Amino acid sequence: MSEDGAGVPDDRRYTEEHEWAMRSDDAVVVGITDFAQSELGDIVYVELPKVGGRVVALKEFGVVESVKSASDLYSPVTGEVVAINEALTDHPELVNSSPYDDGWMIRVRVDNLAELDTLLDAAAYRKLVG
Amino acid sequence: MTTSELLKTPLAPMHEALGARMVPFSGWLMPLQYEGLVAEHLHTRKSAGLFDLSHMGRLAITGPGALDLIQHATTNDASRLAIGAAQYSLICNERGTVIEDLLVYRLPDRWLLVVNASNRTRVVAHLDSLREGLGCDAALQDETFDVALIGLQGPESQAVLQPMVEGDLSALSYYHARADHFGADEVIVSRSGYTGEDGFELMAPSSLAIEIWQQLLADGAVRSIGLGARDTLRLEAGMALYGHELTEEITPFEACLGRVVRLDKGDFVGRDALAELHARGPDRKLVGLATEGGAVPRAGFPVVAGESVRHSDLGKEPADVGVIASGTFSPTLRHPIATAFVRSDLATPGTAMGVRIREASVPARVVSLPFVPHHTKR
C-alpha cells in the first residue's frame, strides 16, 4: 500500500474521486487508485455497466462495495463501454491486490481523447493524496 | 466532533502503535481495522482475536436496594442469577420498546451492568431517575473510565489465556465470571462474547490494559481485531446490535427476544405494555436473509415480497413487506447476509423475498439465525 502516493504510476491520468484513466491503443482503460482501494478496505463486489453502454465524464458508472459500505464509481471520460473486467465478478479482491493492473474495471472508446488532458496528472494526484 | 474531543480507551496508544485505522465510534476513538477486516474476521473464527471493548459502559450497582432497582429497570429476571453468573437482558420504556440491551452480572460484591457505549449516559440517567422514583437504597457507579474491558474470542482462547491466569478455565462456564489473577494483578474473567465463538472478556484496572494486551498478543495464535470484524462476527452469529436490530421503535417480541422478557417476575418498566404485546403477537419479526449475487443489502433497504407471494398478486408492483436491519458480506460464508424485520406471516425459513438494492430487486430467502453456528462452551 502507498497511502503517501509514492506508487502512483506516471503512465495515466486521475480524477479527484480516485479513479484512474489510461490510454490503451484507441481506447481508455479505467480503474480506481491504490489509495482508493486502501481506504475502502476488503472489496467484495463491483457493479459495472454493460458492454455497449455509455459512460459520461464525472457521472456514476458503477458501484464498488467493501464489507462496510458501497461507493459510487465516477467515470473519468465520456464514451462507449467496449469491455468490462469479467474477472471481478468472481474475484473482486483483485481491485485490492492489483488496483492499477488486474483490478481494472472498464475499457471505454472515448468520444474525444483530448478529454484525458483535462484530468489530473500523476504529480497532481500525488499531491492530492500525499 | 474533532478527533481531540473523542474519548480514548487506555489501549488507544497500543492501537496506534499497531497501525490501526482509528475512527470515531459512539463518541470514542476506536480501531476499525488493523491488517484488514476479512483477515481479522477469519482469524477469530479459526484461532483467537483480541478486542478492545473498553468503550462499553460498565455500571456498578451496590446497596440493599440494588436487586430491586435492576429488577425494575430490566426485563429479564436477575433474581435467578447465582453469584458469578450473568444474563442477557433489556431495558424497555413504558411502551414496551427497547431503550438498551445489556449484560447483567451478579458479582460477589456488586452488580455490574455492561451497556453500549452509545447508550451509557442515557442508561445512567434512566437508572438514576428510576432509583429516585422507587426510593431504592442503591448506589450507581460508572466504572467505565477506571476499568478496561478486553475480549479474547475464538477456539484457541482458552489455550491462550490459561497459562496467564490462576483459575482453571475449563471449570468456568458460558455466561459466568469470577475474580482471578493476571500475573500479580486482580482481574475479572468472564466467559462471554459477541462472536458466537468460545471466548473470554477480562475486566482489569485501566493501568494494566496495555500490559495485558501485549502479553496476549505475544501468543502467536492471537491477532488484534477491530470494530469492523467485530460487527461482521456478531452478525454472522445472529446477535443484535443496538441501533439496528433493537431501537425504541422495536419491541423485544419483534426482535425475537421474548425469552429475556419475564412477565411473571414482578413489576418492571414496560411490563403492562409488554404483556399486551405478547398476547397480541408481533406484526413483524426479525429474520435472517441470504441474498443472491454479490450486491450487499444494507440497513434501511426495503424488503419486497418474493415469488411465492407475488404469484397471487400478478401484475402488481411487489409491495414492501419489510426493511433490512443490518447487512454485510459474510467472510465465513462468502456471500451477503442480512437481518430484516418482515411481516410475521413471511418469517418462515425458506420464504422467497426480494431486497431492493439500488435499482434492482435482488432475490433473497429467509434463513434461520444464526448464519454461522455458535461454538460457545455450554
Side-chain angles (χ1 to χ4, degrees), chain A residues 79-130:
Chain A
E80 181 190 341
V81 179
V82 291
I84 61 172
N85 187 352
E86 306 275 0
L88 299 184
T89 309
D90 289 331
H91 296 286
E93 70 278 6
L94 286 171
V95 179
N96 291 120
S97 60
S98 180
Y100 292 122
D101 295 302
D102 297 342
W104 68 276
M105 292 178 172
I106 57 173
R107 188 179 172 92
V108 182
R109 188 185 298 127
V110 293
D111 295 355
N112 178 9
L113 271 173
E115 204 173 20
L116 277 179
D117 300 334
T118 65
L119 300 171
L120 303 176
D121 62 14
Y125 184 68
R126 267 182 219 117
K127 202 172 276 180
L128 183 73
V129 300

Side-chain angles (χ1 to χ4, degrees), chain B residues 86-168:
Chain B
Q87 68 184 189
Y88 181 67
S89 193
L90 302 172
I91 296 174
C92 284
N93 57 30
E94 291 290 358
R95 291 185 291 129
T97 58
V98 181
I99 292 177
E100 174 65 325
D101 68 328
L102 71 164
L103 279 191
V104 178
Y105 285 91
R106 186 178 179 194
L107 300 176
D109 61 335
R110 66 200 195 280
W111 296 81
L112 185 68
L113 313 184
V114 180
V115 303
N116 287 291
S118 54
N119 288 334
R120 179 175 52 88
T121 52
R122 203 159 62 119
V123 169
V124 169
H126 179 78
L127 292 173
D128 271 336
S129 100
L130 200 57
R131 181 186 53 178
E132 279 169 33
L134 292 165
C136 280
D137 184 3
L140 181 67
Q141 192 184 342
D142 189 344
E143 297 184 349
T144 307
F145 297 93
D146 306 321
V147 182
L149 183 61
I150 295 174
L152 181 67
Q153 298 280 300
E156 297 299 321
S157 298
Q158 182 173 315
V160 168
L161 185 59
Q162 186 62 79
M164 302 178 198
V165 294
E166 284 173 6
D168 175 13

Side-chain angles (χ1 to χ4, degrees), chain A residues 13-121:
Chain A
R13 296 291 185 131
Y14 299 88
T15 70
E16 292 184 2
E17 307 287 347
H18 309 288
E19 288 86 10
W20 54 260
M22 181 174 67
R23 182 155 180 196
S24 165
D25 301 326
D26 60 340
V28 168
V29 179
V30 174
I32 66 170
T33 66
D34 189 40
F35 176 84
Q37 70 77 21
S38 164
E39 286 291 303
L40 289 165
D42 294 299
I43 289 166
V44 297
Y45 180 64
V46 183
E47 198 168 280
L48 296 176
K50 291 196 166 49
V51 172
R54 280 190 64 80
V55 293
V56 176
L58 308 179
K59 300 283 187 197
E60 295 150 31
F61 74 89
V63 174
V64 59
E65 295 208 41
S66 68
V67 178
K68 294 295 291 176
S69 63
S71 308
D72 289 324
L73 296 164
Y74 295 91
S75 181
V77 289
T78 301
E80 181 190 341
V81 179
V82 291
I84 61 172
N85 187 352
E86 306 275 0
L88 299 184
T89 309
D90 289 331
H91 296 286
E93 70 278 6
L94 286 171
V95 179
N96 291 120
S97 60
S98 180
Y100 292 122
D101 295 302
D102 297 342
W104 68 276
M105 292 178 172
I106 57 173
R107 188 179 172 92
V108 182
R109 188 185 298 127
V110 293
D111 295 355
N112 178 9
L113 271 173
E115 204 173 20
L116 277 179
D117 300 334
T118 65
L119 300 171
L120 303 176
D121 62 14

Side-chain angles (χ1 to χ4, degrees), chain B residues 9 22 30 35 43 69 87 127 151 164 168 216 291 295 299 352:
Chain B
T9 78
M22 303 297 283
M30 297 297 293
E35 60 186 301
H43 184 85
L69 175 60
Q87 68 184 189
L127 292 173
M164 302 178 198
D168 175 13
L216 289 169
T291 52

